[in-house]
Amino acid sequence: MFAYILYTVVTGLAILPLLLYARNPYFLRDLNYAITAIQIAIRVGKFKRQKPFYSVLDSFLDKVAKQPDKRFILFEESSYTYSQADKESNKVARALSTHAQLKEGDTVALFLGNEPQFVWMWLALAKLGCIASLLNNNIRSKSLLHCFSCCEAKVLVIGAELRGAVEEVLPTLKQQDVRVFILSDDCDVEGIENLSDKIQQASDQPLSPQLRANIHIKSPALYIYTSGTTGLPKAAVINHERLWMASFLQWVAGVRSDDIIYIYLPLYHSAGFLMGLCGAIDKGITVVLRRKFSATHFWNDCRKYNVTVIQYIGEIMRYLCNSPKRDNDRDHKVRLAVGNGIRADTWAEFLQRFGDIRICECYGATEGNVGFVNYIGKIGAIGKEHFLHKMGYSYALIRYDTEKEEPVKDSRGFCIEVPRGETGLLVAKIGERTPFSGYAKNRQQTEKKKLRDVFVKGDLYFNSGDLLKIDNEGFIFFQDRIGDTFRWKGENVATTEVADLLLMVDCIEEANVYGVKVPGHEGRIGMAALKLKESMDFDSKATYRHVKNHLPSYARPRFVRIQDALAVTGTFKQTKVKLAEEGFNPAVVTNPLFYLEDNKGYVPMTQEIFSSIEEGRIRL
Ligand SMILES: *[C@@H]1O[C@H](CO)[C@@H](O)[C@H](O)[C@H]1NC(C)=O
Ligand SMILES: *[C@@H]1O[C@H](CO)[C@@H](O)[C@H](O)[C@H]1NC(C)=O
């Protein structure tokens, strides 16, 4: 009898997960995710209470003590262990503290490419309790000065190859009393100080933790620039808590301590720096660092360095799928890909071609206070809702009017949550656990990302600017991005920044910049509707010269449309939605159209060019 009861109980228990599983095929993975999320919450709680606060730097120093000889950074033909990286950064910290007189809380702007020095530099600044401002190394002139001044840095450290870009703005920097250091030992430009020799001469002895004793979890750690909505790039304030949260993504994605991660995305963005580098430090793994993405070298690098984890953005996955097929396409050790923006068709093709790689698609903005992870691996989804999510933070998809470009309000003036399966604008409540730190020295843009009185009087939400859809199983799908930014080649393009630049061309009176969809491409490519000054013609040469000199290639308007008058809304906002829908098909658009041909300039758009683009014979 007893045996029988025991038997029933045991089988009953054994069947229970099966029953649950039948009702929810994702039960085990949901559970696993829940456990990880709870572990993370416990860990962050501990960091907060710990005095002094435990930072990513402390995590690095623990790895140095525990595994000094493990390889930390592999770069080209060089290899650096954790211990070597520690010593290198001690030297940098000493050189900077002596020659730039840095002290805790100071900000230093880094204008560097992806190279080991970038990592030493940041570790060094963290050791001194300083904040690093990570400048995008593609920006020039006005944008560069703007980005530099928004973080109130008094010191700028530049890579040797970026000397020309800095020389251009040096007079202005000097007026502002900025010290400029170059990672070189033979730069003879007046006003730029050699740093490499000073680093070489510095001692590699550890620095006292006293130097950073006042840093706490809410102190700013970094500035990362985003072109969130409008105007020039904005410096998102990344505090230590945020640094930690982004680093944990590798944990959620299932990165193990014996993994080797390949980082080729720029370190000045959050994907490369926070999720890639900081995540790797916390896991104590080896990082293969590359200056720049290259489709031809990608898999060779993975084979050469035994890479097991890669990061991606959607565009990269497509480049990889578009590269010529090879016999050894499946000959690699990559088992996990973490990133965001992969389209469903590319995802399927990628798996089919390159083998069984787990793809962990995530969603989140650098400055945002909400994020999702598709820990199931469901093709096409950017995340999955989890009951812990709803407990942890409060977010909603609200109805949005794309024509008027504003949320739809009900009769009482509040926003309306969309039902499941419908597209809505993602907003997330700003609160103690889900803060929005905003942008440095830019109150106006910070305010613009906030929505008030969303569901009740006095509430406050972060406006993600993204239109999403959630299905019945809780999978979240990206639909579109609204407003004044679009994404092209993985970079955000701020339409007003481009428009402001176009206005500097002599013949242009008004400019309306927007993104248009191109078949077979993620994101949108830039297009500008222009109104010319009276009795002037479109000066294609001058426009091309100007655009080429001042904008990175991904931000240059690829198509130009000349209009007699630019359409505006009732509140005089330029309308972009209709223009974007009309696109660049000369059969549809009756205005004069121009196309930016590589290395040539703006040429009149023809039906033939249009067909070539549509059929993929011209690559944009
Ligand atoms: C940097 O090094 C070069 C070559 O050694 C030298 O000519 C130059 O004066 C140095 N610059 C400064 C600011 O010390
Ligand atoms: C990659 O792995 C192979 C076999 O395990 C090993 O012989 C080789 O040295 C490794 N390469 C690197 C760069 O670590």
Side-chain angles (χ1 to χ4, degrees), residues 26 43 54 146 192 194 259 476 543:
Y26 310 112
R43 232 181 127 199
Y54 188 82
H146 164 81
I192 301 186
N194 302 318
D259 273 318
I476 307 162
T543 309

Side-chain angles (χ1 to χ4, degrees), residues 136-210:
N136 176 333
N137 57 33
N138 289 303
I139 58 168
R140 296 291 180 269
S141 57
K142 193 177 140 203
S143 283
L144 175 56
L145 282 173
H146 164 81
C147 288
F148 180 79
S149 56
C150 12
C151 61
E152 300 193 298
K154 280 283 164 227
V155 176
L156 172 64
V157 177
I158 67 173
E161 73 285 3
L162 291 161
R163 180 176 126 179
V166 172
E167 265 185 88
E168 254 181 65
V169 295
L170 201 55
T172 317
L173 292 175
K174 287 291 128 188
Q175 274 168 18
Q176 298 169 2
D177 278 334
V178 174
R179 302 268 308 263
V180 181
F181 292 91
I182 188 166
L183 286 175
S184 155
D185 48 19
D186 60 357
C187 173
D188 50 11
V189 177
E190 171 85 36
I192 301 186
E193 301 171 60
N194 302 318
L195 187 59
S196 298
D197 50 342
K198 302 182 173 73
I199 294 173
Q200 266 149 32
Q201 287 150 19
S203 141
D204 65 7
Q205 287 307 298
L207 289 102
S208 159
Q210 245 359 73

